[in-house]
């Protein structure tokens, strides 16, 4: 897991976890800064001291080999992985060059030293300055807040209002600065890869010319260099698209932070000051805590946190809320106070202080608080659970996948292929907005649609036609590849072999609604034709992926994490273009497994199978039912030296496939691995990390026959059937049995049960949901993951 994205909405809460993520980003940048300083020092040694060339090269190679860029999100693209691995490859080349021990004249100042120094001073230096301002404003904000909260309520109203205004202005300033700092941190994390690696690449290109055998080495390096240049360019292109999306999201949140709170399971969360009473004559003190409350369970938790020390100053305290009452200023010499009482401490209220009257109202409403008179606070909408939806780039009334929609797209495609297939920057160059809107209004009117001649008329420029086409697709009520399948399309782009990626996308495309699939086929066929003319129009498969990734795919929730997945959307589009004949002209294998997510199950628990309805996360049925990619001869496969069939400008489907040195115990029945739990445990401990079952990216589709589904499960799920009755008898014997939980589980849906280890389920039956059981616990009936229980 790499660095976690810094959500702009978290700037408003300024939670401990947000601060920890900020510190992780800062530590990574400091590591990068130290690496660059060391790299620069090594490069200068190469120039200044040729007699120490060998030692300097070894040190330089060592620095390159050991450093690895961290990434934001839960996965890297192939381009980013190859960029990360490029430093190790450069190290290997240096070792080969050092064997020559030739005295060389190096000229690396322009190609290596200056770009890295410029990056370190201009980029990393700017972040350091932003950090100083951020730390200074943090101290100023919370110091002023504490001073403000200590202000007596007995002061004149005019003084209080003036103090309130001052605090509010300072808070807004701190929030603005926090947003800018978060944006800058994430921008530099994305930028550093190509900014640091590209000068090193240039250095190596020049270095070869000075060596006696440089020509031969350069020939060996040439293929890798070309691929890496493509990787860097792809990463740069994706960075530009991501940066614009992040900046747009930051602007939205700056305009209205309350509407962009992240969806989570807490009804209310934020900082409160808690009164801690001391023995006389010491009085009491007020300690700042980060507090969280869940209305469903009435659980209130709080953690003491001090920004000056930069961490927690105590353990988390959790209690069940009994009641909440507002404190009037005539009973306490502080404003914005309210009392809470815990169920385990009746009669001992805890006094808390909010940051403002508005903040207290929000807490009182969330806690079902009462006025001193007994009046209950009215509940209003809490936006914590609201989804932030990606909006189309333009709003276009009437955009649908109907007869008009197909006509619009077909006419635009025909015109582009007739008039502008060789235009440089096709689909990148944007048309004039007013002309685009006028063209769309004519095309979408059934009376004028047939009269518009795009192929022969000079009134409509190619860039106007391409912009109208993109705008129409972006304005559909739902993206062409649907919200429901968005997550499933992203999964194979993040992992798996080239073949498994293509097969997964192939399978998912045929799950799309028929009209969506038909429109997608028309469009992708056209894009494949555009990519064939890349030498003239410069629109490679990778460039088309950057343009059409956000057009065809769009997640529902608008967060930084979702924006970081834009690069994987581009990869999916690249796979569609490169393999359009197979994907759209042939049916997928009926037995091909559906993709699963890379989510993590509870500690020591097997992965849970998710329900197939809705947009739930996919998980494998059990670790015993695997779909492994094994070579026919169970031997190491030699690496391929040629690139896979497809465009050289896209490496979206290229990924090293791990080979197994020996076959696992048990029998392979089709795509199912049949073994008992003991064999599996012994086998996995001897596998390399990347080839253990936890890394298997696909699960087998359960058979429609329950007996066939259960045949692959381990024996401890079922009572032992007699040989004569077989699995069907075993399935029947399970119905209405009791079962005990062997792993803890927290429900992810209202139809599921939450339980701890040892919980006993009554009346357990097989569910229609593959991989799930139905049972009763404490009078409530619901779904149970099949591989989380043991039958009694």
């Amino acid at each position: 897991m790499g660095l976690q994205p810094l959500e702009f909405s978290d700037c408003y809460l300024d939670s401990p976890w947000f601060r920890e993520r900020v510190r992780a980003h800062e530590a990574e940048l400091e590591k990068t800064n130290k690496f660059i300083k060391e790299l620069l020092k090594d490069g200068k040694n190469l120039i200044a001291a040729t007699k120490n060339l060998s030692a300097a090269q070894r040190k330089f190679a060592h620095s390159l080999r050991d450093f690895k860029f961290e990434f934001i999100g839960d996965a890297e693209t192939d381009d980013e992985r190859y960029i990360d691995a490029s430093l190790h490859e450069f190290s290997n080349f240096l070792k080969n060059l050092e064997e020559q021990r030739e005295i060389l004249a190096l000229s690396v100042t322009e190609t290596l030293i200056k770009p890295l120094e410029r990056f370190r001073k201009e980029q990393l230096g700017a972040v350091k300055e932003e950090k100083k301002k951020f730390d200074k404003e943090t101290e100023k904000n919370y110091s002023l807040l504490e001073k403000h909260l200590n202000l007596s309520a007995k002061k004149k109203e005019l003084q209080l209002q003036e103090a309130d205004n001052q605090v509010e202005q300072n808070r807004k300033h701190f929030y603005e600065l926090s947003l800018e700092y978060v944006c800058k941190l994430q921008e530099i994390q994305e930028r550093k890869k190509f900014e640091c690696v590209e000068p090193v690449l240039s250095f190596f290109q020049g270095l070869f010319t000075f060596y006696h055998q440089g020509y031969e080495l350069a020939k060996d390096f040439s293929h890798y260099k070309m691929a890496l240049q493509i990787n860097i360019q792809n990463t740069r292109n994706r960075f530009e698209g991501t940066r614009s999306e992040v900046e747009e999201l930051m602007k939205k949140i700056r305009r209205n932070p309350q509407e962009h709170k992240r969806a989570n399971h807490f009804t209310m969360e934020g900082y409160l000051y808690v009164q801690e009473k001391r023995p006389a004559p010491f009085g009491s003190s007020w300690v700042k805590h980060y507090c969280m409350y869940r209305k469903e369970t009435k659980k209130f938790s709080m953690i003491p946190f001090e920004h000056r020390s930069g961490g927690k100053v105590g353990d988390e305290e959790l209690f069940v809320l009994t009641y909440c009452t507002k404190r009037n200023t005539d009973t306490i010499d502080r404003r914005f106070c309210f009392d809470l009482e815990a169920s385990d401490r009746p009669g001992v209220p805890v006094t808390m202080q909010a940051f403002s009257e508005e903040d207290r109202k929000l807490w009182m409403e969330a806690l079902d608080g009462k006025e001193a008179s007994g009046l209950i606070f009215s509940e209003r909408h809490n936006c914590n659970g609201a989804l932030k939806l990606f909006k189309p780039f333009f709003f276009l009334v009437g955009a649908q996948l109907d007869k008009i929609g197909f006509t619009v797209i077909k006419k635009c495609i025909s015109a582009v292929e007739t008039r502008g297939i060789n235009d440089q920057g096709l689909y990148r160059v944007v048309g004039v907005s007013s002309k685009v809107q006028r063209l769309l209004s004519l095309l979408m009117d059934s009376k004028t649609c047939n009269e518009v001649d795009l192929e022969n008329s000079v009134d409509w420029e190619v860039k106007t036609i391409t912009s109208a086409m993109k705008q129409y697709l972006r304005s559909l009520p739902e993206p062409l590849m649907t919200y429901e399948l968005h997550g499933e399309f992203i999964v194979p782009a993040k992992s798996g072999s080239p073949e498994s990626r293509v097969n997964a996308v192939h399978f998912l495309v045929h799950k799309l609604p028929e009209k969506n699939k038909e429109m997608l086929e028309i469009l992708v066929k056209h894009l494949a034709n555009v990519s064939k003319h890349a030498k003239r129009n410069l629109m490679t498969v990778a460039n088309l992926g950057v343009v059409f990734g956000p057009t065809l795919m769009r997640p529902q929730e608008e967060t930084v994490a979702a924006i970081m997945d834009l690069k994987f959307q581009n990869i999916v589009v690249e796979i569609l273009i490169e393999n359009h004949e197979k994907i759209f002209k042939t049916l997928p294998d009926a037995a091909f497994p559906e993709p699963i997510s890379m989510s993590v199950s509870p500690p020591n628990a097997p992965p849970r199978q998710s329900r197939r309805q809705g947009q739930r996360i996919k998980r494998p049925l059990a670790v015993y039912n695997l779909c492994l990619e094994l070579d026919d001869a169970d031997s190491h496969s030699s690496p391929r030296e040629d690139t896979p069939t497809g465009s050289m400008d896209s490496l979206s489907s290229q990924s090293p496939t791990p080979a197994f040195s020996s076959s696992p115990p048990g029998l392979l029945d089709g795509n199912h691995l049949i073994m008992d739990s003991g064999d599996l445990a012994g086998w996995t401990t001897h596998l390399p990390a990347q080839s253990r079952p936890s890394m298997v990216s696909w699960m087998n589709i359960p058979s429609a026959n329950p007996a066939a589904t259960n045949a692959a499960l381990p024996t401890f799920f079922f009572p032992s059937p007699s040989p004569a009755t077989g699995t069907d008898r075993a399935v029947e014997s399970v119905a209405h049995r009791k079962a005990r939980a062997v792993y803890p589980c927290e429900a992810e849906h209202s139809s599921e049960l939450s339980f701890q280890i040892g919980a006993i389920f009554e009346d357990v039956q097989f569910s229609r949901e593959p991989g799930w059981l139905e049972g009763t616990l404490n009078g409530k009936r619901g779904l149970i993951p099949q591989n989380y229980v043991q039958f009694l």
Side-chain angles (χ1 to χ4, degrees):
M1 187 69 180
L3 296 172
Q4 293 191 22
L6 300 174
E7 298 294 346
F8 293 122
S9 56
D10 286 345
C11 295
Y12 187 80
L13 293 174
D14 197 20
S15 67
W17 300 274
F18 169 72
R19 286 288 177 154
E20 290 176 3
R21 290 195 290 269
V22 169
R23 285 199 299 276
H25 280 255
E26 291 171 347
E28 165 60 16
L29 289 182
E30 183 59 28
K31 184 174 69 170
T32 302
N33 184 46
K34 291 180 180 179
F35 160 71
I36 292 176
K37 289 174 65 177
E38 193 67 23
L39 201 62
L40 288 170
K41 177 183 176 182
D42 296 337
K44 290 175 181 178
N45 285 339
L46 289 174
I47 298 172
T50 55
K51 62 181 180 180
N52 296 323
L53 179 59
S54 179
Q57 283 183 340
R58 286 194 178 95
K59 181 64 173 66
F60 192 67
H62 187 270
S63 298
L64 291 172
R65 184 192 64 199
D66 290 348
F67 184 81
K68 179 176 175 57
F69 293 112
E70 289 293 348
F71 59 93
I72 298 176
D74 59 1
E76 290 179 293
T77 63
D78 286 344
D79 293 314
E80 291 171 329
R81 280 194 289 270
Y82 295 147
I83 289 175
D84 289 342
S86 66
L87 297 180
H88 192 272
E89 293 295 327
F90 295 150
S91 174
N92 292 335
F93 277 112
L94 266 182
K95 291 176 183 177
N96 293 332
L97 290 171
E98 201 277 327
E99 293 175 358
Q100 309 301 321
R101 288 192 178 273
E102 302 267 342
I103 297 178
L104 305 173
L106 302 177
S107 176
V108 298
T109 302
E110 295 296 327
T111 58
L112 178 69
I113 304 301
K114 287 185 178 179
L116 289 180
E117 284 182 335
R118 186 165 54 250
F119 174 76
R120 180 170 165 267
K121 291 178 181 178
E122 297 178 1
Q123 300 298 329
L124 296 180
V127 173
K128 284 188 176 181
E129 291 300 318
E130 289 289 332
K131 175 177 170 23
K132 290 179 183 178
K133 290 196 293 184
F134 180 73
D135 292 341
K136 182 179 178 181
E137 286 299 320
T138 297
E139 172 65 23
K140 179 181 176 182
N141 180 63
Y142 287 104
S143 296
L144 183 62
L145 184 61
E146 288 184 8
K147 180 179 177 182
H148 177 64
L149 294 175
N150 286 320
L151 191 66
S152 173
K154 296 179 181 179
K155 289 190 175 291
K156 294 181 179 180
E157 183 63 26
L158 184 60
Q159 290 178 308
L160 294 176
Q161 289 181 358
E162 193 172 326
D164 288 348
N165 291 336
Q166 183 182 2
V167 169
E168 184 60 28
Q169 289 177 1
N170 189 74
R171 184 185 300 174
K172 288 181 179 178
H173 178 66
F174 172 69
Y175 180 57
E176 290 278 338
L177 191 65
S178 179
L179 286 173
E180 295 290 346
Y181 184 51
V182 164
C183 183
K184 189 66 177 177
L185 273 178
Q186 297 189 121
E187 177 181 333
I188 198 69
Q189 295 286 15
E190 290 294 289
R191 180 188 292 274
K192 65 184 180 184
K193 295 184 179 180
F194 54 82
E195 291 281 9
C196 292
V197 175
E198 203 165 30
V200 178
L201 179 62
S202 299
F203 160 72
F204 272 87
Q205 180 63 26
L207 187 63
F208 289 130
T209 60
F210 295 98
Y211 281 85
H212 177 67
Q213 296 184 355
Y215 176 73
E216 292 297 325
L217 290 172
K219 285 200 302 184
D220 296 338
F221 183 73
S222 179
H223 178 77
Y224 181 82
K225 182 196 71 172
M226 290 177 58
L228 184 57
Q229 285 174 334
I230 294 170
N231 298 146
I232 292 173
Q233 188 58 44
N234 290 346
T235 305
R236 186 189 293 274
N237 291 343
R238 290 165 183 153
F239 163 77
E240 294 296 338
T242 301
R243 182 176 63 174
S244 62
E245 293 288 343
V246 169
E247 290 175 349
E248 182 63 27
L249 176 58
M250 184 181 69
K251 292 176 183 177
K252 291 180 183 178
I253 293 181
R254 178 187 285 129
R255 288 194 295 267
N256 199 336
Q258 290 290 345
E259 288 188 1
H260 287 78
K261 286 185 177 180
R262 296 183 63 194
N264 58 42
H265 55 272
F266 292 115
T267 308
M268 185 70 181
E269 61 179 320
Y271 284 102
L272 293 171
Y273 277 81
V274 181
Q275 185 183 35
E276 295 187 354
K277 297 180 180 178
R278 298 177 178 177
F282 299 105
S284 61
S285 64
W286 294 83
V287 180
K288 185 170 59 180
H289 288 68
Y290 193 81
C291 303
M292 298 155 285
Y293 177 67
R294 294 185 66 176
K295 181 174 288 189
E296 298 82 5
T297 60
K298 290 189 174 296
K299 288 183 178 179
F300 191 99
S301 59
M302 53 186 187
I303 304 171
F305 187 87
E306 178 52 58
H307 286 86
R308 291 190 183 94
S309 61
K312 301 175 185 176
V313 293
D315 297 328
E316 180 178 4
E317 184 178 352
L318 177 67
F319 60 85
V320 178
L321 180 69
T322 302
Y323 77 84
C324 170
T325 306
K326 177 182 177 181
R327 286 287 294 269
N328 294 324
T329 53
D330 57 355
T331 64
I332 190 170
D333 191 27
R334 283 211 174 200
R335 298 190 299 160
F336 321 135
C337 294
F338 56 93
D339 287 341
L340 302 182
E341 184 173 300
S343 59
D344 58 343
R345 288 172 288 182
V348 185
V350 179
T351 302
M352 297 188 171
Q353 183 182 26
F355 285 176
S356 64
E357 184 60 34
E358 178 64 22
D359 192 28
R360 177 168 65 173
K361 286 181 181 179
L362 292 174
W363 277 104
M364 295 289 289
E365 289 167 5
L367 299 169
D368 294 328
K370 298 181 180 179
E371 294 272 9
S373 61
L375 180 65
I376 301 177
F377 274 75
S378 61
E379 182 178 352
R380 63 185 179 184
H381 177 67
N382 186 341
C383 65
N384 260 13
L387 285 178
K388 290 80 68 179
L389 301 182
F390 275 120
K391 301 298 182 184
F393 293 87
F394 304 92
F395 180 73
L396 185 63
V397 178
Q400 298 289 339
L401 291 178
D402 52 12
K403 184 177 179 181
I404 290 291
F406 277 88
T407 302
V408 170
I409 298 301
K410 288 178 179 178
K411 285 179 75 73
C412 290
I413 288 175
S414 178
V416 170
E417 294 192 346
T418 302
R419 298 171 49 194
I421 196 72
N422 292 318
D423 288 5
Q424 286 192 7
L426 185 65
Y427 287 110
R428 275 192 179 277
V429 180
V430 182
V432 179
S433 179
S434 58
K435 293 183 179 180
V436 173
Q437 295 292 346
R438 191 165 82 254
L439 174 59
L440 279 172
S441 64
L442 293 174
L443 289 174
M444 293 180 62
D445 190 338
S446 57
K447 298 178 180 178
T448 58
C449 180
N450 293 329
E451 299 175 3
V452 179
D453 185 3
L454 298 180
E455 294 185 19
N456 301 308
S457 174
V458 294
D459 295 335
W460 305 108
E461 298 175 286
V462 173
K463 63 181 182 181
T464 303
I465 298 172
T466 56
S467 296
M469 181 176 163
K470 289 187 293 182
Q471 181 175 338
Y472 192 92
L473 292 170
R474 289 169 179 168
S475 301
L476 292 172
E478 185 178 35
L480 202 57
M481 297 175 74
T482 73
Y483 290 131
E484 182 179 1
L485 294 177
H486 177 84
E488 296 185 46
F489 272 113
I490 291 294
V491 171
K494 292 183 176 181
S495 60
S497 65
E499 183 181 1
S500 67
R501 291 181 182 186
V502 175
N503 290 340
V505 173
H506 187 190
F507 184 87
L508 292 170
V509 164
H510 286 264
K511 289 180 66 177
L512 289 170
E514 195 58 38
K515 286 187 176 180
N516 294 58
K517 188 178 69 163
E518 183 181 351
M519 177 69 81
L520 186 63
E521 180 179 2
I522 293 171
L523 180 63
V524 171
K525 182 180 179 181
H526 165 63
L527 297 181
N529 189 25
V530 172
S531 68
K532 292 177 182 178
H533 296 76
K535 289 184 178 180
R536 299 288 299 276
N537 59 36
L538 305 182
M539 292 304 293
T540 63
V541 173
N543 289 339
L544 290 170
V546 171
V547 173
F548 281 90
T551 301
L552 302 180
M553 300 179 66
R554 199 164 61 244
Q556 284 187 290
E557 189 174 4
E558 188 174 11
T559 63
V560 173
I563 292 174
M564 291 303 168
D565 276 348
L566 284 176
K567 53 193 176 186
F568 298 107
Q569 296 176 188
N570 304 344
I571 290 173
V572 174
V573 175
E574 291 174 24
I575 293 173
L576 288 172
I577 296 173
E578 291 178 333
N579 304 275
H580 69 283
E581 289 289 342
K582 174 182 178 179
I583 290 174
F584 293 102
K585 299 300 182 184
T586 64
L587 293 175
D589 186 354
F592 187 78
E594 294 190 43
I596 61 172
S597 77
M598 301 166 67
S599 60
V600 181
S601 298
N604 301 321
R608 293 168 51 193
Q609 164 76 10
S610 73
R611 301 171 60 210
R612 293 174 61 90
Q613 282 82 357
Q615 301 179 27
R616 299 290 309 284
I617 299 174
K618 302 290 183 183
R619 297 189 180 93
L621 175 62
V623 297
Y624 308 94
N625 189 9
L626 309 177
C627 177
L628 302 177
E629 296 180 0
L630 299 177
D631 289 329
D632 295 335
D634 284 341
S635 61
H636 289 290
S637 59
S638 59
R640 293 180 57 183
E641 297 182 357
D642 56 334
T643 56
T645 302
S647 175
M648 276 293 296
D649 52 49
S650 173
L651 304 179
S652 61
S653 59
Q654 298 181 35
S655 175
T657 303
F660 295 90
S661 59
S662 62
S663 59
L667 300 175
L668 279 172
D669 179 16
N671 286 328
H672 293 77
L673 180 63
I674 305 172
M675 61 177 74
D676 60 36
S677 57
D679 288 338
L680 181 66
W683 174 57
T684 57
T685 56
H686 294 91
L687 281 177
Q690 69 270 26
S691 56
R692 292 184 184 177
S694 61
M695 297 298 291
V696 175
S697 298
W698 310 111
M699 71 176 185
N700 293 288
I701 298 178
S703 170
N705 181 2
T709 301
N710 296 317
L713 293 174
T715 55
F716 69 79
F717 285 142
F718 307 99
S720 300
S722 61
T725 58
T727 309
D728 291 334
R729 186 73 56 83
V731 172
E732 294 175 3
S733 67
V734 171
H736 307 289
R737 291 285 302 275
K738 290 185 178 181
R740 177 188 292 111
V742 293
Y743 300 106
C745 176
E746 183 170 348
E748 298 179 352
H749 194 272
S750 59
S751 61
E752 300 174 19
L753 294 177
S754 295
F755 49 86
Q756 299 298 322
I757 297 177
I760 303 298
F761 303 93
E762 304 285 344
D763 193 22
V764 179
Q765 304 179 38
F766 280 105
S767 169
R768 293 182 179 179
E769 302 289 343
W772 293 78
L773 302 171
E774 290 183 9
T776 302
L777 178 64
N778 300 328
K780 181 180 178 180
R781 189 157 187 84
L783 293 172
I784 310 161
Q786 189 169 355
N787 52 351
Y788 274 50
V789 301
Q790 183 176 10
F791 286 97
L792 301 177

